[in-house]
Amino acid sequence: MLVFHSILTAFGLLSFLFSLLAVFLLVEVVAAWISRLRQRGESLDPIVAHGSQPTRLAVIMPAHNEEAVIERTVSKMLEQLNQGDQLIVVADNCTDRTAKFAFRAGAEVIIRDNPEQRGKGYALQYGVDHLASDPPEVMVIVDADCEIVQGTLQSLAQATAARQCPLQAAYIMPVPAQATFRDRISAFAVMLKNVVRLQGLAAIGGPSLLTGTGMAFPWELAQRTQWASGDIVEDMTIGIELAKQGDFPRFYAPMTISAPLPSTKAAATTQRTRWEHGHLRNIRRFVPQLLISLVKRPSWSMLLLVFELVVPPLSLFAASLLMLLFVAGVVGVIGASLVPLMLCTTAFVAFTLAIMGAWRMEGRNLLSLSDLARVPVYILGKLPIYSAAVRKAETQWHRTDRSAGQVGKPAPHLSKQQTLGSVDVID
């Protein structure tokens, strides 16, 4: 009897936790909606709108086998830079013509060749070390396959310099012309995670998680940040580490940056596995540390960051809620307690309202109501990702393939020496 009571108590606490997280998710969505209503007809960035001074910025663009897109990305980026600004492409462990094409398009190119240290974090550290000899005021990180809305890069740099904290732009993944259901649901999930939730979190005074691209840092902070790592979600990890030292990243809604969805189902699975395994690992790794920090030094921003981090990947969240609701129903039927059923029902309703609210704001152009009815099938298809996280979580960094089947070829025309500002061509 004592064992049964203990199990029932533990299940009740778990139900309470999930109901709390579901309500938090709903609060984020409602706060984002209210924030957008308030911003209609108003300047989205009062600091920049009232005339900030031009800011000298440097864009670091880590690139691994991006010859298919690098010229277009560099050309578009250079259009947004002022005289004195820099665009540095870090050609990292490339086996194709990324460096040559980036240099041809007008970027400053540095080559990093170290197969033993693979991952975006190492490339970023290499770029930061290069900038140290002639530092900018603000450093911006943009992935090689991304596109920034014209005219917003300078406002991001000015806002970062004015606020003296890291800023994260709204990062989205638009659907291709012939989008599948998988493409549309993925684009909606990214929009919910990277825009709606972060905008709502900002509206209630919370920090932002870093999402990998469209990130800006005051130079002093960028220089003392430890970038070099093979972490599979280095962006999220760096953001949490910054928050631990009091440098909370903030969401910057006026700027939007976009990247294409993965080109194949296998590439999408690889990307999702990396993101979601990394998220779950960071929950285990950082939440105890953040809670201890919160006890020692109470902070509203830190409390909201803990909640944001603890909310699991949404497919896992939905599957867990359904399972808990079923178990809670069984517990209620046998007469043990109705409390878990009430809590789980609250959680399920709050979660459903949050998803529908986000769909109302951002998803109607991506998903029809009939598509929403197919979401449970999509969730079931992702369960192997979460079971793999229990058996053997992904720990190695892998580049996401967005090249529609194009594979980088060895490039003997590039020298193996590290070059600054140019690349040696052996053609």
Side-chain angles (χ1 to χ4, degrees):
M1 181 61 70
L2 182 60
V3 173
F4 177 77
H5 180 73
S6 299
I7 294 174
L8 186 62
T9 301
F11 181 69
L13 292 174
L14 185 63
S15 302
F16 175 74
L17 173 62
F18 270 77
S19 65
L20 198 61
L21 294 179
V23 170
F24 175 76
L25 181 64
L26 177 59
V27 168
E28 285 185 320
V29 173
V30 172
W33 178 68
I34 294 174
S35 177
R36 294 186 186 194
L37 290 179
R38 290 176 175 174
Q39 288 173 353
R40 286 182 179 175
E42 300 178 1
S43 169
L44 292 176
D45 192 350
I47 289 181
V48 175
H50 287 83
S52 297
Q53 293 296 317
T55 300
R56 181 167 176 260
L57 68 94
V59 177
I60 292 184
M61 187 177 294
H64 173 69
N65 289 351
E66 299 285 2
E67 67 173 20
V69 297
I70 192 68
E71 282 189 283
R72 182 178 185 275
T73 305
V74 167
S75 297
K76 290 287 187 181
M77 193 64 58
L78 289 174
E79 293 175 0
Q80 300 203 40
L81 299 183
N82 295 328
Q83 185 175 0
D85 294 340
Q86 295 173 273
L87 170 57
I88 298 173
V89 172
V90 184
D92 186 59
N93 288 309
C94 293
T95 58
D96 67 354
R97 295 167 292 182
T98 294
K100 179 181 178 179
F101 288 0
F103 179 62
R104 188 169 68 184
E108 181 178 355
V109 179
I110 57 178
I111 297 175
R112 178 179 176 274
D113 186 15
N114 187 343
E116 299 302 316
Q117 294 182 333
R118 291 172 50 82
K120 182 177 174 181
Y122 294 112
L124 292 176
Q125 187 67 62
Y126 198 69
V128 171
D129 292 344
H130 171 63
L131 281 175
S133 60
D134 184 22
E137 295 176 71
V138 171
M139 183 186 81
V140 181
I141 297 171
V142 177
D143 284 349
D145 57 354
C146 290
E147 183 173 337
I148 293 177
V149 172
Q150 186 67 31
T152 60
L153 185 59
Q154 295 296 329
S155 67
L156 173 67
Q158 292 174 30
T160 303
R163 291 170 170 82
Q164 284 299 298
C165 71
L167 295 184
Q168 171 62 60
Y171 175 31
I172 63 173
M173 290 185 177
V175 295
Q178 302 298 324
T180 64
F181 169 72
R182 175 189 62 111
D183 293 330
R184 296 196 303 274
I185 192 67
S186 295
F188 173 65
V190 170
M191 180 71 74
L192 174 55
K193 180 178 182 292
N194 290 355
V195 180
V196 176
R197 289 179 59 187
L198 292 186
Q199 187 172 25
L201 192 61
I204 58 176
S208 175
L209 293 177
L210 295 179
T211 58
T213 187
M215 307 179 290
F217 303 82
W219 172 250
E220 293 299 325
L221 180 59
Q223 190 174 33
R224 58 184 166 86
T225 297
Q226 295 298 316
W227 302 94
S229 77
D231 198 301
I232 60 174
V233 283
E234 77 292 320
D235 42 15
M236 178 187 288
T237 300
I238 288 170
I240 295 171
E241 292 287 2
L242 289 172
K244 285 170 58 180
Q245 63 190 36
D247 296 305
F248 292 96
R250 301 293 174 180
F251 183 62
Y252 189 71
M255 177 177 162
T256 300
I257 185 166
S258 62
L261 287 164
S263 57
T264 65
K265 184 177 181 180
T269 299
T270 297
Q271 183 188 70
R272 280 290 170 188
T273 299
R274 176 168 60 86
W275 283 355
E276 300 188 12
H277 285 200
H279 186 175
L280 294 173
R281 185 171 67 87
N282 277 347
I283 291 176
R284 297 191 301 268
R285 177 183 175 188
F286 285 113
V287 168
Q289 299 177 27
L290 297 180
L291 289 175
I292 292 173
S293 176
L294 190 60
V295 171
K296 292 181 178 178
R297 188 173 53 190
S299 162
W300 178 246
S301 290
M302 185 64 77
L303 177 63
L304 292 177
L305 177 62
V306 171
F307 271 105
E308 177 69 11
L309 183 60
V310 171
V311 173
L314 293 184
S315 293
L316 177 61
F317 199 180
S320 300
L321 282 177
L322 289 173
M323 182 181 68
L324 288 173
L325 190 60
F326 173 78
V327 175
V330 172
V331 170
V333 167
I334 65 176
S337 175
L338 289 176
V339 173
L341 181 59
M342 295 169 60
L343 290 171
C344 290
T345 301
T346 299
F348 183 77
V349 170
F351 181 86
T352 303
L353 289 175
I355 299 302
M356 293 303 297
W359 175 80
R360 179 69 174 78
M361 282 192 291
E362 293 287 358
R364 288 181 297 170
N365 60 331
L366 296 172
L367 299 169
S368 65
L369 286 174
S370 60
D371 285 332
L372 287 179
R374 297 167 58 192
V375 169
V377 178
Y378 172 81
I379 292 174
L380 288 175
K382 294 185 66 176
L383 291 183
I385 292 179
Y386 304 121
S387 62
V390 175
R391 300 193 312 272
K392 185 179 180 181
E394 179 65 66
T395 59
Q396 299 296 317
W397 178 87
H398 299 283
R399 172 184 175 272
T400 300
D401 180 19
R402 296 188 178 93
S403 59
Q406 298 183 38
V407 180
K409 300 181 288 292
H413 56 281
L414 294 181
S415 70
K416 290 299 185 181
Q417 71 183 66
Q418 298 170 354
T419 59
L420 305 180
S422 65
V423 293
D424 294 334
V425 180
I426 303 175
D427 285 335

